[in-house]
Structures are given as structure tokens and as C-alpha cells.
């Protein structure tokens, strides 16, 4: 696992996803040949207790993957009143080859949900570089009855990509959240939603766009 970093016992799967090569109309360039290294500075939140989140970088430098082992929100039945919402904030130190900068072009979120009829759930996420404005949260709702894996994708247009500052080390922050609302479900029924790595394939993948810094 090139550039992988493990927090606790969760195993991170490497995902190799190729973004477009150099295209004058978009500014995309091939990923830099030198490896990138991602270190986790801090991890906080009810959805990612210490030792339950892991980060790994794909071997072709086009993506990194975050897996979770205890990211679960639930409501109804005997659920704890605070369990309906879980969140996680990752603060990452991303070391990239000199002369390049990157942005997050898209993000794939995966998990499992079991929602009773009348219940609802939502997954939401945003990200930003230290010292810059946070991107708007993008919401992905689900409605019961539902009992299956779920997947959501956030895609950012080229003109709206937020690029890491060239020549300056700025940590990258990822904020994610899942919520479950019991709604009109019978009071004794439990609904839940996870964003985790239970089967080894459920994870969050962030696809990276690259461009050369000015003056390179």
C-alpha cells in the first residue's frame, strides 16, 4: 500500500481511478510520477472514534480512500437519543511533489442503510483547505422503506474546484455527517445508516485533479 496510513485496526483498500490526462480545455494534467504521502493530523467526531478510521493513497496518485469501522447513526426503538446524528472531521497533511497542486474533483461515498417505512436519512459532506472557506455541504437523502447498500457521488465542475495553494503547506479538512430520522415509523422499530468498511468494499474515495503551479 503505497503511502498508506492506518489508524487502528481498520484496513484501507487501495482504489486506482484514472482522471483525465492533460486537456487544454480543462487544465487537467497527468498525476505527478513521484508519490504523494497523506498523514492524518487529527481525527475527531462521534462517527470516527480513535482507531476506527484509515486513509490510504492509490498507487497511481489519482485518489485516496478513507474507511470507517464504527460510523453508524440510528433512531427509533431503544436507540440513544444522541445516536441519530454522527459526524467525522479529518484533518489531513498532504505532501505533493514540488511544482504541482491538487483539488478534489469528485468523491464517492458508500455505506449501508436499513430504514423502516416512514423513516429518512441523509449523508452530507464538505471539505476545505486550512485558511480558506469551507465548501457548501452536499446532501444525499434516503427514504424508507430501504434495506440495501447506498452510494453517493459529489462532482465539482472544473471552474469551481478549490485548489491547494502552490508552495504553501495547508492542511486539508474533510467534514462528513450522517443523520437518521425515525419519522412516522412505529416507535419500537429501529432505522440505521452506516458509512463504514464492514465488508471491506465500503469506503469513501476522493478523486484528485492535478495541475502545474505557475512558473514551473
Amino acid at each position: 500500500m503505497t503511502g498508506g496510513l492506518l489508524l487502528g485496526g481498520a484496513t484501507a483498500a487501495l482504489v486506482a481511478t484514472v482522471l483525465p490526462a492533460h486537456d487544454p480545455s480543462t487544465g487537467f494534467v497527468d498525476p505527478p510520477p513521484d508519490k504523494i504521502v497523506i498523514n492524518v493530523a487529527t481525527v475527531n467526531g462521534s462517527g470516527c472514534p480513535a482507531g476506527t478510521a484509515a486513509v490510504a493513497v492509490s498507487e497511481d496518485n489519482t485518489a485516496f480512500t478513507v474507511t470507517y469501522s464504527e460510523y453508524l447513526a440510528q433512531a427509533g426503538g431503544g436507540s440513544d437519543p444522541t445516536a441519530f446524528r454522527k459526524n467525522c472531521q479529518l484533518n489531513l497533511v498532504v505532501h505533493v511533489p514540488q511544482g504541482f497542486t491538487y483539488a478534489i474533483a469528485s468523491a464517492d461515498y458508500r455505506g449501508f442503510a436499513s430504514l423502516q417505512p416512514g423513516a429518512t436519512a441523509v449523508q452530507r459532506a464538505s471539505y476545505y483547505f486550512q485558511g480558506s472557506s469551507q465548501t457548501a455541504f452536499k446532501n444525499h437523502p434516503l427514504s424508507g422503506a430501504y434495506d440495501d447498500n447506498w452510494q453517493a457521488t459529489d462532482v465539482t465542475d472544473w471552474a469551481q474546484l478549490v485548489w491547494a495553494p502552490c508552495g504553501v503547506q495547508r492542511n486539508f479538512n474533510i467534514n462528513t455527517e450522517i443523520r437518521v430520522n425515525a419519522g412516522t415509523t412505529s416507535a419500537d422499530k429501529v432505522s440505521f445508516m452506516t458509512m463504514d468498511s464492514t465488508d471491506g468494499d465500503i469506503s469513501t474515495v476522493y478523486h484528485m485533479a492535478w495541475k502545474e503551479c505557475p512558473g514551473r
Side-chain angles (χ1 to χ4, degrees):
M1 290 190 180
T2 304
L5 174 70
L6 187 66
L7 298 182
T11 300
L14 291 180
V15 177
T17 304
V18 179
L19 285 175
H22 184 266
D23 181 342
S25 66
T26 64
F28 278 118
V29 300
D30 289 325
D34 298 332
K35 73 175 183 178
I36 62 172
V37 178
I38 297 179
N39 297 316
V40 177
T42 60
V43 52
N44 294 296
S46 55
C48 51
T52 66
V55 179
V57 181
S58 67
E59 293 182 351
D60 62 359
N61 289 341
T62 63
F64 64 91
T65 302
V66 182
T67 59
Y68 305 92
S69 60
E70 292 187 18
Y71 207 155
L72 180 148
Q74 64 180 48
S79 302
D80 188 299
T82 64
F84 77 96
R85 174 186 178 273
K86 293 297 177 69
N87 76 295
C88 183
Q89 175 165 320
L90 294 173
N91 183 274
L92 306 177
V93 182
V94 183
H95 303 277
V96 302
Q98 186 174 1
F100 287 87
T101 183
Y102 73 97
I104 301 303
S106 65
D108 299 323
Y109 300 92
R110 298 181 179 90
F112 183 85
S114 179
L115 305 176
Q116 300 292 333
T120 60
V122 65
Q123 180 270 333
R124 61 201 308 252
S126 72
Y127 36 84
Y128 62 98
F129 292 100
Q130 181 182 9
S132 63
S133 299
Q134 179 169 294
T135 61
F137 274 97
K138 294 186 178 181
N139 298 317
H140 300 281
L142 286 176
S143 298
Y146 189 96
D147 188 43
D148 202 350
N149 293 318
W150 62 267
Q151 179 174 340
T153 299
D154 294 340
V155 179
T156 304
D157 292 335
W158 171 263
Q160 297 177 322
L161 289 176
V162 179
W163 296 93
C166 284
V168 180
Q169 180 64 60
R170 295 286 174 82
N171 288 11
F172 182 63
N173 294 278
I174 301 170
N175 292 322
T176 57
E177 178 182 312
I178 53 176
R179 291 175 180 254
V180 176
N181 187 323
T184 59
T185 303
S186 175
D188 63 336
K189 301 291 186 180
V190 175
S191 294
F192 68 88
M193 181 181 196
T194 73
M195 190 157 67
D196 58 24
S197 57
T198 301
D199 62 6
D201 292 324
I202 298 176
S203 57
T204 301
V205 183
Y206 295 88
H207 307 289
M208 306 172 82
W210 295 92
K211 70 176 183 180
E212 295 181 353
C213 289
R216 186 177 186 273

